[in-house]
Amino acid sequence: MSTQKPALRLEGILKTFPGVRALDNVSFSVIPGEVHALMGENGAGKSTLMKVLGGLYQPDDGQIIIDEQPVVMTSPLQAKSKGIVFIHQELSLAEELTVAENIYLGELPHKSFGRVDWKKLHAQTDSILQRLKVGFNAKTRVGELSIANQQMVEIARALTVEAKAVIFDEPTASLTDAEKVVLFDVITDLKSHGVGIIYISHRMEEIFKITDRISVLRDGQYRGTLNTAETTDDEITQLMIGRKLDLSRNASHHEVGDVALEVRELSCGALFKNIDFEVRRGEVVGFYGLVGAGRTEIAETLFGLREPTAGQIYLDGAEVTIHSPADAIAKGISLVPEDRKGQGLVLGMNCRDNMTLPQVEGLKFGPFVAETDEVAIFDKYKERLDIRTPGWKQTVGNLSGGNQQKIVIAKWLSMHPSILIVDEPTRGIDVGSKSEIHNLIRELASQGYAVIVISSEMPEVLHVSDRIIAMYSGEIMRTFTSDEVTEDNLIQAISGITSNRAA
Amino acid sequence: MSELTQEKIGLKSRRREQPVGRFSNLKLGEILARQGILIAFALFLIGFTIANDRFLAPDNIMGVVRSSAILGVMALGVTFVVLSGNLDLSVGSMMSFSTIVVLDLHDKIGPVLAIPAMFAMTMCLGALIGFLVGYLRLNSLIVTLGMLSAIHGLTLTYSGGKNMDIADKEGTWFSVFGQSDLVGIPVPILIFALLASTLGILLAKTPYGRKVYAVGGNGLAATFSGINRSRVVFTCYVLSSFCVATAGLLQASRSLGSQNTVGQGLELEVLAAVILGGASLMGGSGTIFKTVIGVLILGFIQNGLLLVGLQFYAQYIVTWIIIILAVWLDIAAKRGKLWSPIA
């Protein structure tokens, strides 16, 4: 394999932004028919590198070489015409159009007088869909498809051009296990057709399952390439973060206090029903289930964003009604929302202002915001959570995902809540920050916080939780203590849906 | 910083084989994109100064600032609305309303009562818009475009379509706001400056100002931070209507008589000034200081065009061109390019 000419080669790519050297002399190549993982912590430069490849950024130095020809990428359109296809984490489909229209958007086959040749369009589309072995057809409206199937449409789109290299950016972020299997089949198929694949992911299992080689970036620099068959996750992790990680099960058994939050028969329309649980001080309760099982909706109800249709909420034994987020905050409930960029942060604002946003009304000096107090809060949590940013004036949108998430967590920690709800705390975050956040969650519990962790990642819930509540379709199926839970019985509790998801 | 500079020097030596022309083009485009407004303004100033030596005369400068004051006061309020992520196209006809009302009430109940009554009525209109946009979450463009027409109708109904004049123009003290000087500075300029500094501080230094930025920057994140987004938007519109009422007072006091259409078209000029100042129409970015600069740029360009002999009516076209230019340069500044296939 290694004797083959690369389909795509990046050489000495250098890209600087004001104050940051995002890419420093990075070289990287993909051979036809290989799956090449690109790994690195958030902020290591993966996204920047891919944006350079896609023509969104111009490198300050270095070359992109496709089929031994240097190419100057100026736009995504040009990248596509050169056979470089991106499957993005955020999908870009027109939901109101059919699958066929989406796939051939901008290049619909047509007959005389500019009329669309529907017959040809649907035939072409269906032949591609057959290759992907999906359960929908050319005429299906994209809005009706699941996220996984929408991703398949994106992949189908990639197959319409003669792709030399396909870039998958965190493709499994919102897929179920069964859906992943289908995706991996497709990747294997692409591979057998001689397409070079760049696979960006943080998930080790996937990396070991489907990739052939692994290249690692750290701090904008190329750190080396490993053969997947000959390496271990320890080796990769060390390359990525330059230190060893402790991912073992957290076994700290500290004293658990009184019940801080108790929920009885809580229902909200069709979203969830008859939810009963309690969280004690010093305890981490994990909510595990599939996407759409109603976990986030429970969190939003506790945070005053939704009105429950039935049931009671007790805080420290007293029944309460939570009218609004402001009310929830006043009652000591904090929520780190699942969508960091959409719900957690004002991306155009600086780090400090984001961090102090919920308490800005309380940080006053006369009628003014007490900015020195704000800076003190920022400095304290920057230190405590090891937030890597040049300073508080930095716009949050410029930080890496892991550091952004730490800002969101700091925002709530600085309010000293009694109940902290974290929804998908490490989604799309690099390994290093991930374990830091896990440790932080454990540490908070040991300090007496009542913590609820909602996660779709089994290792995560297993790692941080004292008890795990398994949900399926709006209902609690079972509650596990950390002694009785195993991966198998946990999967059984949340399943019943996996069999019909497989295409 | 010194390290960075060194790196840049290092880069240059390695970049030799790159086509130089292309690179320098990019650089020029980037500078244009980032500082376009100021460059354009500087060119205008130089042009006007060469064309007419009166342009930079102190009395002309004072005249420009003075005549910009009414527009400027309105632009201060609209800045809040735009920052919160909304639009206000009703300020022009709302200003006509304020002017007509205060002139009418002046003779009926006397200026001491007329002024607060006019403020209350104008701010009720602002509260109505604030309710529709803030609490009912209706699209601000539609709501305020509708209000532009509705308030115009309201003004005409109120006045019966007639011009409004104060009967005894010589004998009233009402003219102090628009016509007198204090310590050698025209009162409208003082009011503009006072309001600008107050609102500037409100926006930059208080929790309320912070919330306005948060709501405009990301309304959902603001909600998730416990901020009452509806209330913030509501107050922005009320604040805007307060500024409009002030502008109406200045206008009425200056002319002591007015047509029903005195504020017609001002909504666009106000918006032009706010955008020229660099506030983003998407919300969340901009400052009062920048808006003041925008107001002055607009004032000087319009004055300069008059001085070089352009017809007054051509200003409407010029204003449009300035808006388009400003909006274009605003997005260009964000992406650092004059044009890009993606937003």
Side-chain angles (χ1 to χ4, degrees):
Chain A
M1 183 184 281
S2 53
T3 55
Q4 256 182 297
K5 284 180 185 165
L8 167 73
R9 198 146 56 91
L10 297 168
E11 234 179 46
I13 301 287
L14 199 139
K15 176 78 192 171
T16 54
F17 295 109
V20 197
R21 203 167 221 210
L23 291 174
D24 188 2
N25 197 20
V26 172
S27 300
F28 177 77
S29 66
V30 190
I31 297 163
E34 80 160 335
V35 180
H36 196 142
L38 184 60
M39 298 190 75
E41 295 192 272
N42 279 351
K46 292 169 309 201
S47 311
T48 313
L49 188 64
M50 290 304 112
K51 280 178 179 156
V52 166
L53 181 56
L56 292 174
Y57 290 159
Q58 298 303 315
D60 297 332
D61 198 7
Q63 280 187 315
I64 301 170
I65 298 159
I66 298 171
D67 285 345
E68 310 291 295
Q69 293 287 322
V71 177
V72 179
M73 285 291 181
T74 51
S75 71
L77 207 63
Q78 196 207 359
K80 192 178 174 189
S81 73
K82 297 278 178 196
I84 309 297
V85 183
F86 289 83
I87 311 293
H88 289 287
Q89 210 170 336
E90 281 108 24
L91 302 169
S92 54
L93 297 168
E95 301 206 335
E96 293 302 319
L97 299 183
T98 65
V99 169
E101 286 167 321
N102 264 290
I103 291 177
Y104 285 96
L105 207 59
E107 44 206 3
L108 295 172
H110 45 77
K111 303 188 281 192
S112 54
F113 302 111
R115 291 170 301 151
V116 173
D117 190 344
W118 293 108
K119 217 179 234 172
K120 190 172 167 195
L121 172 67
H122 290 142
Q124 280 180 357
T125 308
D126 279 329
S127 77
I128 293 176
L129 294 180
Q130 254 163 34
R131 191 172 147 193
L132 294 176
K133 304 186 187 68
V134 290
F136 55 89
N137 66 36
K139 292 176 191 166
T140 315
R141 205 173 59 85
V142 162
E144 294 165 13
L145 299 175
S146 67
I147 295 287
N149 279 331
Q150 290 189 9
Q151 203 167 41
M152 286 298 163
V153 176
E154 287 260 4
I155 295 171
R157 206 192 245 174
L159 297 180
T160 62
V161 295
E162 206 172 312
K164 293 198 172 62
V166 180
I167 294 96
F168 288 88
D169 188 359
E170 295 273 353
T172 55
S174 42
L175 300 192
T176 63
D177 287 341
E179 289 164 343
K180 282 179 201 165
V181 172
V182 180
L183 177 74
F184 293 160
D185 284 347
V186 170
I187 291 178
T188 314
D189 178 64
L190 283 173
K191 187 176 151 173
S192 68
H193 283 77
V195 178
I197 287 158
I198 301 177
Y199 191 88
I200 301 175
S201 177
H202 290 124
R203 305 187 183 198
M204 287 290 182
E205 327 95 78
E206 292 170 15
I207 298 291
F208 279 100
K209 204 164 184 174
I210 63 161
T211 69
D212 301 303
R213 290 197 296 165
I214 301 162
S215 285
V216 178
L217 294 181
R218 183 167 87 222
D219 300 334
Q221 289 176 334
Y222 170 74
R223 290 286 162 171
T225 300
L226 306 163
N227 282 325
T228 310
E230 296 158 13
T231 187
T232 60
D233 46 4
D234 273 354
E235 194 179 5
I236 301 170
T237 313
Q238 271 190 47
L239 263 190
M240 275 165 60
I241 64 177
R243 63 191 142 92
K244 279 206 166 190
L245 265 185
D246 175 25
L247 269 178
S248 62
R249 181 76 182 280
N250 200 312
S252 68
H253 279 290
H254 49 267
E255 283 299 300
V256 171
D258 298 332
V259 173
L261 170 73
E262 189 179 346
V263 170
R264 288 289 161 246
E265 316 249 310
L266 197 68
S267 302
C268 183
L271 295 169
F272 56 83
K273 43 195 174 292
N274 295 327
I275 301 300
D276 280 297
F277 69 92
E278 69 216 18
V279 187
R280 291 172 177 276
R281 293 189 195 289
E283 184 184 42
V284 180
V285 173
F287 273 74
Y288 185 63
L290 298 170
V291 174
R295 300 164 302 162
T296 297
E297 288 75 10
I298 293 176
E300 286 173 353
T301 307
L302 292 175
F303 196 58
L305 287 159
R306 290 175 191 275
E307 214 178 318
T309 47
Q312 301 89 42
I313 300 168
Y314 301 88
L315 291 176
D316 293 320
E319 183 169 357
V320 292
T321 313
I322 299 162
H323 303 281
S324 67
D327 193 22
I329 293 166
K331 292 184 161 86
I333 302 174
S334 288
L335 170 67
V336 174
E338 67 177 332
D339 180 359
R340 184 166 60 239
K341 291 182 177 173
Q343 304 167 331
L345 295 166
V346 183
L347 290 178
M349 243 184 191
N350 67 42
C351 295
R352 182 199 69 183
D353 293 3
N354 263 292
M355 203 184 275
T356 56
L357 196 54
Q359 54 179 323
V360 71
E361 199 69 65
L363 288 171
K364 279 201 289 198
F365 178 75
F368 306 120
V369 180
E371 298 196 25
T372 44
D373 292 355
E374 287 189 288
V375 174
I377 291 175
F378 173 82
D379 287 341
K380 180 177 161 195
Y381 286 92
K382 176 183 191 291
E383 168 98 35
R384 179 159 173 212
L385 303 191
D386 189 22
I387 301 170
R388 272 164 252 169
T389 158
W392 64 262
K393 288 180 182 152
Q394 185 71 29
T395 307
V396 159
N398 293 342
L399 300 186
S400 70
N403 284 313
Q404 285 182 354
Q405 185 72 331
K406 287 181 188 173
I407 299 260
V408 184
I409 294 176
K411 165 166 135 176
W412 293 115
L413 281 191
S414 62
M415 301 281 295
H416 307 292
S418 54
I419 296 157
L420 182 66
I421 308 171
V422 286
D423 195 352
E424 301 289 1
T426 61
R427 176 177 283 176
I429 283 182
D430 57 275
V431 199
S433 309
K434 206 169 185 165
S435 88
E436 283 171 34
I437 288 173
H438 289 166
N439 291 340
L440 180 71
I441 289 172
R442 292 303 320 175
E443 191 192 317
L444 291 173
S446 68
Q447 288 167 11
Y449 286 88
V451 187
I452 296 176
V453 174
I454 300 170
S455 176
S456 301
E457 288 185 42
M458 190 183 291
E460 180 161 286
V461 272
L462 287 174
H463 179 55
V464 301
S465 314
D466 295 310
R467 282 187 298 132
I468 297 172
I469 293 175
M471 284 195 68
Y472 168 65
S473 189
E475 287 182 76
I476 291 179
M477 303 309 284
R478 195 178 157 186
T479 302
F480 298 91
T481 64
S482 60
D483 305 325
E484 63 195 15
V485 68
T486 65
E487 294 196 14
D488 287 343
N489 58 22
L490 195 51
I491 282 187
Q492 277 164 15
I494 64 145
S495 62
I497 187 166
T498 39
S499 55
N500 61 24
R501 282 275 181 113
Chain B
M1 278 317 275
S2 65
E3 211 179 284
L4 254 172
T5 341
Q6 274 179 6
E7 277 179 20
K8 273 187 183 150
I9 295 162
L11 281 180
K12 272 212 173 108
S13 58
R14 270 197 277 167
R15 204 189 283 121
R16 262 192 206 125
E17 60 270 316
Q18 285 233 342
V20 178
R22 193 190 147 66
F23 177 70
S24 56
N25 271 343
L26 248 170
K27 205 69 177 171
L28 180 66
E30 203 175 312
I31 294 168
L32 266 179
R34 298 233 181 269
Q35 304 297 343
I37 299 270
L38 286 179
I39 293 170
F41 184 51
L43 290 178
F44 266 116
L45 285 187
I46 295 167
F48 289 144
T49 313
I50 294 168
N52 191 322
D53 53 7
R54 265 194 54 212
F55 184 66
L56 283 185
D59 63 323
N60 187 53
I61 290 178
M62 194 60 112
V64 171
V65 179
R66 184 195 173 112
S67 63
S68 298
I70 291 178
L71 180 89
V73 165
M74 291 163 74
L76 298 176
V78 171
T79 302
F80 277 77
V81 172
V82 168
L83 278 178
S84 77
N86 295 294
L87 284 175
D88 195 345
L89 294 180
S90 69
V91 291
S93 62
M94 199 187 283
M95 195 272 248
S96 305
F97 174 81
S98 305
T99 309
I100 293 294
V101 165
V102 78
L103 287 172
D104 176 60
L105 293 182
H106 177 278
D107 284 2
K108 286 182 181 155
I109 58 176
V112 178
L113 290 175
I115 295 170
M118 176 275 277
F119 267 81
M121 287 164 79
T122 309
M123 286 167 76
C124 280
L125 293 174
L128 174 62
I129 301 174
F131 173 75
L132 295 174
V133 178
Y135 287 94
L136 297 190
R137 300 272 165 89
L138 304 184
N139 181 297
S140 67
L141 178 73
I142 305 298
V143 169
T144 60
L145 197 58
M147 283 304 266
L148 184 158
S149 162
I151 297 175
H152 185 52
L154 189 66
T155 311
L156 287 170
T157 313
Y158 183 89
S159 68
K162 295 189 300 274
N163 289 353
M164 206 60 83
D165 280 285
I166 288 177
D168 179 12
K169 292 192 181 181
E170 304 299 319
T172 178
W173 58 267
F174 183 70
S175 61
V176 291
F177 303 108
Q179 299 181 9
S180 60
D181 288 5
L182 197 68
V183 292
I185 304 171
V187 170
I189 296 183
L190 288 176
I191 292 181
F192 177 39
L194 183 73
L195 208 53
S197 34
T198 313
L199 293 182
I201 290 170
L202 178 69
L203 192 56
K205 296 288 173 198
T206 67
Y208 173 72
R210 191 70 63 75
K211 289 181 190 173
V212 172
Y213 280 111
V215 165
N218 184 347
L220 202 51
T223 305
F224 271 80
S225 296
I227 293 171
N228 189 333
R229 174 184 177 179
S230 305
R231 191 193 294 158
V232 170
V233 172
F234 175 82
T235 52
C236 283
Y237 277 104
V238 174
L239 225 152
S240 176
S241 63
F242 172 82
C243 291
V244 170
T246 310
L249 176 66
L250 294 179
Q251 176 66 37
S253 168
R254 184 164 83 176
S255 53
L256 299 180
S258 173
Q259 299 177 327
N260 288 290
T261 53
V262 60
Q264 200 173 51
L266 276 184
E267 57 280 335
L268 278 190
E269 285 192 45
V270 165
L271 206 56
V274 172
I275 299 169
L276 267 179
S280 163
L281 281 182
M282 306 296 289
S285 114
T287 64
I288 288 292
F289 178 71
K290 284 179 172 175
T291 292
V292 171
I293 299 290
V295 167
L296 294 180
I297 290 179
L298 194 67
F300 276 107
I301 289 178
Q302 290 182 342
N303 170 261
L305 291 173
L306 279 180
L307 285 185
V308 294
L310 212 68
Q311 255 199 48
F312 174 77
Y313 301 113
Q315 293 203 353
Y316 293 114
I317 303 168
V318 173
T319 306
W320 177 82
I321 294 173
I322 292 172
I323 293 182
I324 298 300
L325 205 66
V327 172
W328 177 32
L329 290 174
D330 174 44
I331 49 173
K334 252 172 230 136
R335 59 197 180 206
K337 283 188 208 169
L338 290 175
W339 185 85
S340 145
I342 54 156

